[in-house]
Amino acid sequence: MASRLTILRRISILLKAPPSTTLRSLRPSLARRFLLRKVLAPNVSPWICAAASSFCSGPLNLPQDSQGPAAIDYRSVLSEDEYHRLANSTIQDLQEKLEEYGDVVELEGFDVDYGNEVLTLKLGTLGTYVMNKQTPNRQIWLSSPISGPSRFDWDHNTQAWVYRRTKANLLKLLESELEQLCGCGIKQLEQLYRHITAQEKNT
Amino acid sequence: MLRLVAKRLLGTASRDIPSRPLQILPRLYHENVIDHYNNPRNVGSFDKNDPNVGTGLVGAPACGDVMKLQIKIDEESGKIVDACFKTFGCGSAIASSSVATEWVKGKSMDEVLTIKNTEIAKHLSLPPVKLHCSMLAEDAIKAAVKDAEAKRAKMNATLKGADVKSG
């Protein structure tokens, strides 16, 4: 969905550009606009923006596929308030579910901790999960002992947190990995999405 | 008045230091990370307009991490002969990009695309919360290679065009 947005935006910028502009000269200005729009969040000071524009003097790679980083204006994808509501709901609901799970699965060194908006799940010697919000990108970042680092975006179509590169669904991923690691399934984690989006509709 | 405040602050600071015992923190950076942080390899810049230089710029200041990784390609062999980086971020991010520049030297562009963030993370013994830094370093390598390949393709297209015109 977001990649479609990028393509549409690029087409609209190209159409607005004067006919004599060559593609080569357009790319750096395009790139600068993308990076600056991303950087110019309300709480970012002007000198950081200046630094960013001088930093981004080379052509930015904007790949169609999921290989490299994509520069998207996240503010138009999801408003900050909406993002906080969704992300906080997800993490808090997940925390409750994991605490219940901890009572069921008898694992030495099992610990669920939530502090400074970071959720840490320790599974003793099996590894540690860390989940946190990444507000500028409107993402939830997960670090998993099985799949390593992943960055999830809110997908409006499926109403779920999805990692674009692997198309992985956050709650589905956790369900399968926890079952794999602990040998005990965590029930109906995906149902949490209904709860999260229901809360979103009520506010 | 400012001088008074400053003196008072300095006064309290000097009084505290001798009495506070050395605290051993539970989380430590692995010695490899400290080594790369204190002695970073290949810090610098190449001319981005050089047709044999590929530049990968990843991350964003708002997120707290920006990495610029550049590779210099040998025209004939297509191998990476030199690499440099500049990173704005935490110690783990600096170490990850420093390791990346070390590992890409002497390899072909196809080979470096196989460098995985898990290998970088393992080499630096990165804790779970810092695995994202290693992924950013992997992304920087991929972006640099992509840029270098794009430049080469463009150069070849220009040369072909020139051949057609002169022939």
Side-chain angles (χ1 to χ4, degrees), chain A:
Chain A
M1 183 238 165
S3 56
R4 245 187 285 147
L5 222 65
T6 327
I7 296 165
L8 284 170
R9 207 173 283 119
R10 265 199 251 168
I11 291 168
S12 71
I13 289 169
L14 278 169
L15 289 171
K16 280 180 201 161
S20 58
T21 313
T22 61
L23 192 64
R24 200 192 305 171
S25 58
L26 189 61
R27 274 178 72 215
S29 59
L30 243 180
R32 218 169 281 128
R33 271 166 89 166
F34 271 115
L35 190 61
L36 277 179
R37 280 170 82 189
K38 193 176 167 193
V39 163
L40 287 170
N43 53 348
V44 173
S45 67
W47 71 263
I48 291 176
C49 302
S53 65
S54 63
F55 219 108
C56 182
S57 43
L60 240 192
N61 294 299
L62 302 170
Q64 300 275 357
D65 64 344
S66 51
Q67 271 306 301
I72 295 170
D73 185 3
Y74 290 93
R75 290 171 301 156
S76 64
V77 172
L78 197 62
S79 79
E80 201 170 321
D81 286 337
E82 207 188 330
Y83 162 76
H84 281 303
R85 272 196 295 269
L86 286 167
N88 289 339
S89 277
T90 308
I91 294 177
Q92 279 155 18
D93 286 354
L94 200 56
Q95 183 197 359
E96 285 170 21
K97 266 279 180 177
L98 288 171
E99 279 169 355
E100 286 169 20
Y101 182 65
D103 296 330
V104 168
V105 64
E106 280 157 14
L107 187 65
E108 198 174 319
F110 184 100
D111 183 51
V112 179
D113 183 52
Y114 182 64
N116 295 325
E117 296 193 326
V118 177
L119 178 67
T120 308
L121 169 65
K122 291 188 184 150
L123 300 172
T125 52
L126 299 172
T128 303
Y129 282 86
V130 179
M131 190 183 303
N132 63 286
K133 282 158 61 176
Q134 189 69 8
T135 310
N137 287 353
R138 309 288 189 262
Q139 288 175 335
I140 286 186
W141 282 16
L142 175 75
S143 172
S144 151
I146 296 181
S147 49
S150 326
R151 301 170 182 196
F152 298 86
D153 299 276
W154 181 254
D155 184 5
H156 283 291
N157 295 333
T158 54
Q159 294 281 288
W161 293 99
V162 178
Y163 181 29
R164 288 205 194 100
R165 288 187 201 188
T166 59
K167 312 278 186 275
N169 177 312
L170 171 64
L171 297 180
K172 259 193 209 165
L173 182 79
L174 281 171
E175 253 187 75
S176 67
E177 284 192 0
L178 284 172
E179 181 146 14
Q180 194 183 327
L181 270 179
C182 309
C184 170
I186 178 166
K187 283 183 201 159
Q188 298 168 336
L189 213 51
E190 248 196 298
Q191 308 285 359
L192 286 179
Y193 281 130
R194 277 188 229 161
H195 184 232
I196 294 159
T197 46
Q199 279 189 326
E200 175 64 17
K201 280 176 191 156
N202 288 338
T203 46

Side-chain angles (χ1 to χ4, degrees), chain B residues 38-126:
Chain B
N38 286 329
N39 311 303
R41 331 295 199 235
N42 313 311
V43 176
S45 266
F46 297 142
D47 176 17
K48 64 180 188 309
N49 295 317
D50 185 333
N52 295 318
V53 167
T55 305
L57 182 65
V58 295
C63 294
D65 274 329
V66 184
M67 286 182 194
K68 184 177 82 162
L69 193 139
Q70 291 180 299
I71 50 175
K72 199 173 268 179
I73 314 287
D74 176 46
E75 271 182 65
E76 286 165 20
S77 61
K79 286 200 171 181
I80 297 169
V81 291
D82 203 2
C84 67
F85 82 100
K86 277 191 179 177
T87 294
F88 162 75
C90 64
S92 303
I94 293 167
S96 298
S97 39
S98 177
V99 163
T101 57
E102 280 199 303
W103 286 5
V104 301
K105 280 190 186 176
K107 294 200 170 94
S108 71
M109 288 197 278
D110 289 330
E111 249 184 288
V112 302
L113 289 176
T114 61
I115 294 175
K116 289 270 158 254
N117 64 74
T118 43
E119 293 163 13
I120 299 174
K122 196 173 174 186
H123 177 75
L124 297 170
S125 297
L126 295 180

